[in-house]
């Protein structure tokens, strides 16, 4: 691209960002492909501080993956197991309840529940997971099952996803995690996960959840076979649904981890790519309140630096994570609250413990309770 033209386009984008105006698809592609990392960081930080000031949010949570047995074979997944594979497992009710009790003992406010789509388990089994945990630990927020799982439940039962979401809400479901989005564009989706819920299904299920008063997150899996226009298309589709419902809380860009997957020949995305993706996402998703630098996926150092490239959240203390560790993540299984707070302060930010719905968590030695929502815009 001609340098003078590029300078003019960047000046126009800068003016729009400063004025809080929306960037177009073409501007998103231009930012990714023609703008240096530090300029992207500077612009993204402007939006980040306008929305969240100097706060960086974290939460105390635990992951629960009740089964890894899955009928699908997404090419990027190292977590799944075949039905008869020795690696496959299904947790018993006792194991599930023990995990929830451990989370509560450790002061967790949230349980993040996702897993495989088991060939033989009935819908009631997945419902039972949420029901028994909620009955035993009503204070724990249950962020459970991705849109891909909800679509699977509809296939199992022949019932509409809206009804299933409502039934789960009754049983204690608190919100939906953002997984399963991968890359929406069919040029990519049909190659990496052709069987599972397509883009419209994923977006429809989140719309239905929002209409039922459930909040949700959104993700994008980058650094595999997708190209810049696919990423920008993905962000634009999310932005459009957010305009309609306002139900998304956090966007989480997920860096592809190749180890033990069918895409193991593809190198892991660079730190440059990680930070660029965070910054461009912050600039494109003008209607998302939060961006999460998921440290398990990015590594602690990059997640810390990402706090100056658009991110305002680090995710949690995260115990028992499997999806990324199976795919070669060398991040630790757990960060203590003291360590998370130190990392945030070192990055020049103010640590705030939040619950799943971004309300401040106030703790005494014995218990915790939620306070006000800390959001500037
Ligand atoms: O949908 C699977 C991804 C997702 C790999 O909502 C992989 O707060 C990289 O969605 N390399 C599940 N990514 C995790 C997820 C998530 C994580 C943290 C917080 C939240 C939230 C949601 O993990 C899957 C898929 O996109 N994934 N395998 C892999 N090898
Ligand atoms: Fe199954 Fe999810 Fe892995 Fe795809 S990403 S194979 S749906 S566990």
């Amino acid at each position: 691209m001609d340098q003078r033209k590029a300078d003019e386009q960047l000046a126009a984008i800068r003016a729009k960002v400063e004025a809080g105006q929306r960037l177009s698809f073409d501007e998103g592609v231009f930012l990714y492909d023609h703008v240096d990392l530090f300029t992207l960081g500077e612009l993204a930080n402007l939006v980040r501080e306008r929305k969240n000031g100097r706060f960086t949010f974290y939460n105390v949570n635990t992951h629960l993956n009740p089964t890894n047995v899955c009928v699908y074979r997404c090419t990027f997944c190292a977590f799944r197991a075949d039905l008869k594979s020795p690696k496959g497992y299904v947790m018993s009710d006792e194991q599930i309840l023990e995990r929830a009790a451990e989370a509560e003992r450790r002061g967790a406010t949230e349980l993040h529940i996702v897993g495989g789509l088991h060939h033989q388990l009935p819908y009631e089994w997945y419902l039972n997971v949420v029901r028994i945990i909620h009955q035993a630990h009503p204070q724990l927020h249950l962020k459970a099952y991705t849109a891909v799982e909800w679509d699977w439940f509809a296939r199992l039962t022949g019932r509409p996803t809206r009804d299933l979401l409502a039934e789960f809400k009754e049983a204690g479901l608190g919100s939906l995690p953002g997984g399963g989005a991968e890359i929406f564009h069919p040029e990519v989706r049909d190659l990496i996960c052709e069987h599972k819920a397509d883009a419209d299904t994923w977006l429809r299920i989140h719309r239905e959840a929002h209409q039922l008063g459930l909040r949700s997150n959104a993700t994008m899996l980058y650094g595999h076979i997708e190209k810049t226009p696919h990423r920008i298309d993905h962000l634009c589709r999310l932005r459009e649904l957010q305009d309609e419902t306002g139900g998304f809380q956090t966007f989480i860009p997920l860096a592809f981890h190749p180890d033990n997957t069918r895409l193991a020949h593809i190198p892991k995305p660079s730190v440059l790519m990680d930070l660029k993706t965070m910054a461009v996402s912050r600039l494109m998703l003008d209607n998302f309140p939060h961006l999460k630098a998921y440290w398990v996926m990015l590594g602690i150092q990059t997640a810390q630096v990402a706090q100056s490239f658009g991110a305002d959240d680090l995710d949690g203390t995260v115990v028992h994570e499997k999806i990324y560790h199976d795919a070669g993540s060398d991040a630790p299984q757990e960060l203590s609250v003291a360590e998370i707070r130190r990392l945030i302060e070192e990055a020049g930010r103010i640590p705030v413990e939040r619950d799943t719905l971004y309300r401040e968590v106030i703790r005494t030695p014995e218990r915790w309770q939620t306070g006000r929502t800390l959001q500037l815009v």
Side-chain angles (χ1 to χ4, degrees):
M1 184 184 236
D2 174 280
Q3 191 55 46
R4 192 181 52 83
K5 270 202 176 138
D7 289 347
E8 277 173 17
Q9 190 158 358
L10 180 57
I13 291 177
R14 182 183 289 278
K16 274 177 132 181
V17 171
E18 283 171 357
Q21 290 167 0
R22 176 157 288 188
L23 302 182
S24 67
F25 174 89
D26 290 342
E27 286 167 333
V29 172
F30 170 79
L31 285 171
Y32 239 124
D33 289 348
H34 297 287
V35 177
D36 70 279
L37 180 65
F38 285 108
T39 305
L40 288 178
E42 183 203 346
L43 293 175
N45 197 49
L46 208 81
V47 179
R48 186 255 195 242
E49 294 199 351
R50 193 186 290 146
K51 286 185 185 288
N52 291 295
R54 290 181 56 219
F55 299 132
T56 285
F57 299 94
Y58 67 94
N59 71 341
V60 179
N61 67 352
T62 291
H63 284 223
L64 172 69
N65 307 124
T67 178
N68 65 348
V69 175
C70 188
V71 292
Y72 293 150
R73 291 171 171 267
C74 304
T75 56
F76 53 82
C77 180
F79 163 74
R80 73 167 296 282
D82 286 333
L83 183 60
K84 292 188 178 156
S85 155
K87 182 189 162 200
Y89 68 83
V90 177
M91 290 172 77
S92 65
D93 286 4
E94 292 69 35
Q95 288 170 320
I96 288 167
L97 284 171
E98 175 43 35
R99 180 67 60 79
E102 180 195 349
E104 179 134 11
R105 279 197 301 276
R106 299 170 76 118
T109 60
E110 169 191 290
L111 213 52
H112 177 149
I113 308 172
V114 290
L117 314 165
H118 194 283
H119 307 57
Q120 294 171 342
L121 291 171
Y123 165 74
E124 289 70 26
W125 184 84
Y126 298 90
L127 179 60
N128 184 56
V129 171
V130 165
R131 182 169 281 142
I132 59 175
I133 299 175
H134 182 65
Q135 276 169 0
H137 305 279
Q139 209 190 358
L140 270 182
H141 179 105
L142 305 183
K143 183 176 74 177
Y145 301 130
T146 67
V148 172
E149 290 164 292
W150 293 105
D151 177 56
W152 179 247
F153 303 158
R155 294 177 197 218
L156 284 178
T157 56
R159 291 169 55 197
T161 40
R162 188 189 297 274
D163 286 5
L164 306 177
L165 287 162
E167 184 166 45
F168 266 79
K169 190 176 176 206
E170 219 25 59
L173 175 73
S175 64
L176 267 56
E182 325 311 359
I183 288 283
F184 289 142
H185 200 292
E187 277 169 16
V188 175
R189 200 169 185 88
D190 291 352
L191 294 177
I192 60 172
C193 53
E194 85 261 30
H195 296 300
K196 73 187 192 188
D198 63 8
D200 287 347
T201 305
W202 192 99
L203 291 163
R204 189 203 75 230
I205 290 169
H206 281 258
R207 179 185 294 109
E208 289 168 356
H210 298 167
Q211 287 167 347
L212 286 167
L214 295 161
R215 310 304 296 272
S216 74
N217 293 337
T219 58
M220 173 175 75
L221 178 68
Y222 67 91
H224 43 95
I225 62 166
E226 88 292 357
K227 300 275 182 290
T228 301
H230 301 126
R231 286 181 224 126
I232 301 299
D233 169 73
H234 190 93
L235 298 173
C236 289
R237 293 191 205 212
L238 289 173
R239 186 169 77 179
E240 206 176 303
L241 179 56
Q242 180 74 333
D243 273 347
E244 192 187 318
T245 65
F248 287 118
Q249 303 199 105
T250 315
F251 175 70
I252 310 136
L254 298 170
F256 173 53
H257 278 248
D259 289 4
N260 307 318
T261 74
R262 288 198 279 143
L263 299 177
H265 56 283
I266 298 178
K268 210 172 135 180
S270 62
V271 173
L272 191 108
M273 170 80 151
D274 292 335
L275 294 176
K276 252 188 165 183
T277 305
M278 189 63 77
V280 174
S281 302
R282 182 61 287 174
L283 291 166
M284 293 302 293
L285 295 176
D286 53 9
N287 52 7
F288 271 62
H290 301 288
L291 251 71
K292 190 187 285 186
Y294 183 40
W295 62 264
V296 175
M297 167 272 276
L298 286 175
I300 295 164
Q301 290 86 350
T302 306
Q304 195 184 23
V305 177
Q307 300 305 314
S308 301
F309 284 79
D312 59 276
D313 195 308
L314 263 184
D315 205 67
T317 50
V318 186
V319 191
H320 302 297
E321 200 287 330
K322 271 192 72 58
I323 296 173
Y324 281 89
H325 288 89
D326 283 355
S329 168
D330 50 15
Q333 272 286 348
E334 184 178 1
L335 276 185
S336 70
V337 167
E339 183 62 2
I340 286 191
R341 295 186 71 93
R342 189 194 67 74
L343 289 167
I344 293 172
E345 280 167 1
E346 194 182 50
R349 303 298 184 189
I350 302 163
V352 178
E353 183 184 346
R354 61 161 177 91
D355 71 355
T356 312
L357 304 176
Y358 283 85
R359 293 169 302 199
E360 190 177 9
V361 171
I362 300 157
R363 287 187 185 269
T364 62
E366 299 80 34
R367 56 190 295 274
W368 60 270
Q369 64 182 65
T370 46
R372 65 201 168 101
T373 305
L374 283 177
Q375 197 184 307
L376 304 182
V377 202

